[in-house]
Amino acid sequence: MRQESERRLVAVEDISIDRIVTRLLDRPPVLSGREQLVPDWRPSAPPDRPPVPAAVLLALVERPEGYTVLYTERSSRLRSHSGQIAFPGGKLDPGDADAADAALREAGEEVGLLRSEARVLGFMPTYFTGTNYLITPVVAVVSPSAPFVPNPDEVQAVFEVPFARVIRKESYSTYSIRRDGREHRTWQIDHEGHVIWGITANLTRQFRDLVLGEGPS
């Protein structure tokens, strides 16, 4: 048991930015037709419109103690998903060049992240939600010169989780939610009073599995 734990620790320490890049797509994935998409949960009535393209930024923040992953707590004044934990991101606007452009724009609007301080590493496979959003996760290294500042209209708080914690399998539990009379589960991460669940926790877990070369859990 101790040897297995030591092997896991070495594996985490051996993870470099170069290794992460090799696990990512070098361009945004082509958006698939709806018939090829499987949502994270199935609503009782299928959507009557094409999926809405969206992007989120999974930011690996350079800190003296090591990399962290950036999260936001959505404003309690928002109509949807108020108070929930999320990655910076949102719908693609007509003026966005691609998913990376959209994710960086949203991060700038939400927490004051400067594009000049972000280096996009690549893209994860798209994530289709039961609410009909097709999300492209954008992974970037961020070297901030100043603290992130939440936009009070959209973001209540900003916090970071150590990359080493995100990588540890023991950091994850499951969260049950009931929609349309049916129960389904998502991943969950508890960190210093913040409960990360739903889409954000699922994307975090997918990133973790991708980095470690493990299949979907």
Side-chain angles (χ1 to χ4, degrees):
M1 182 67 71
R2 181 179 176 183
Q3 288 180 343
E4 181 181 345
S5 176
E6 287 175 349
R7 282 197 297 270
R8 285 201 301 267
L9 180 60
V10 170
V12 170
E13 291 178 341
D14 284 347
I15 295 172
S16 65
I17 295 300
D18 288 343
R19 171 178 172 148
I20 293 173
V21 170
T22 66
R23 303 289 184 179
L24 301 172
L25 303 171
D26 61 2
R27 63 191 66 187
V30 176
L31 302 183
S32 304
R34 186 188 303 168
E35 70 282 357
Q36 299 173 297
L37 300 173
V38 178
D40 54 359
W41 61 276
R42 293 187 181 277
S44 55
D48 58 359
R49 56 183 171 82
V52 179
V56 298
L57 185 69
L58 200 157
L60 301 174
V61 185
E62 289 186 300
R63 298 298 185 189
E65 63 275 16
Y67 287 103
T68 64
V69 178
L70 177 68
Y71 294 89
T72 68
E73 182 179 342
R74 290 169 59 84
S75 171
S76 58
R77 297 198 294 264
L78 294 174
R79 286 184 300 175
S80 63
H81 306 292
S82 60
Q84 291 184 12
I85 306 304
F87 291 119
K91 294 186 293 185
L92 269 67
D93 284 351
D96 294 325
D98 59 13
D101 195 32
L104 292 172
R105 173 183 55 77
E106 288 281 355
E109 295 172 1
E110 292 180 10
V111 301
L113 186 149
L114 300 177
R115 287 175 180 253
S116 60
E117 297 178 347
R119 176 168 63 94
V120 173
L121 302 179
F123 306 85
M124 291 169 55
T126 51
Y127 181 100
F128 187 40
T129 74
T131 50
N132 202 36
Y133 284 87
L134 192 58
I135 301 172
T136 299
V138 181
V139 182
V141 168
V142 176
S143 305
S145 58
F148 297 115
V149 179
N151 176 349
D153 291 333
E154 301 184 56
V155 176
Q156 193 162 286
V158 181
F159 67 97
E160 299 170 33
V161 178
F163 175 74
R165 178 167 173 77
V166 165
I167 291 299
R168 284 199 300 271
K169 189 175 183 178
E170 294 79 10
S171 300
Y172 296 82
S173 59
T174 56
Y175 180 91
S176 296
I177 185 170
R178 182 171 290 275
R179 288 190 177 101
D180 295 336
R182 289 177 292 181
E183 182 179 282
H184 71 95
R185 293 177 178 271
T186 80
W187 289 110
Q188 175 176 310
I189 308 167
D190 296 304
H191 181 72
E192 296 183 351
H194 298 286
V195 180
I196 307 168
W197 63 280
I199 294 169
T200 307
N202 290 345
L203 287 175
T204 303
R205 179 61 184 233
Q206 288 183 10
F207 172 70
R208 179 255 177 206
D209 292 347
L210 195 66
V211 167
L212 295 182
E214 298 184 6
S217 303

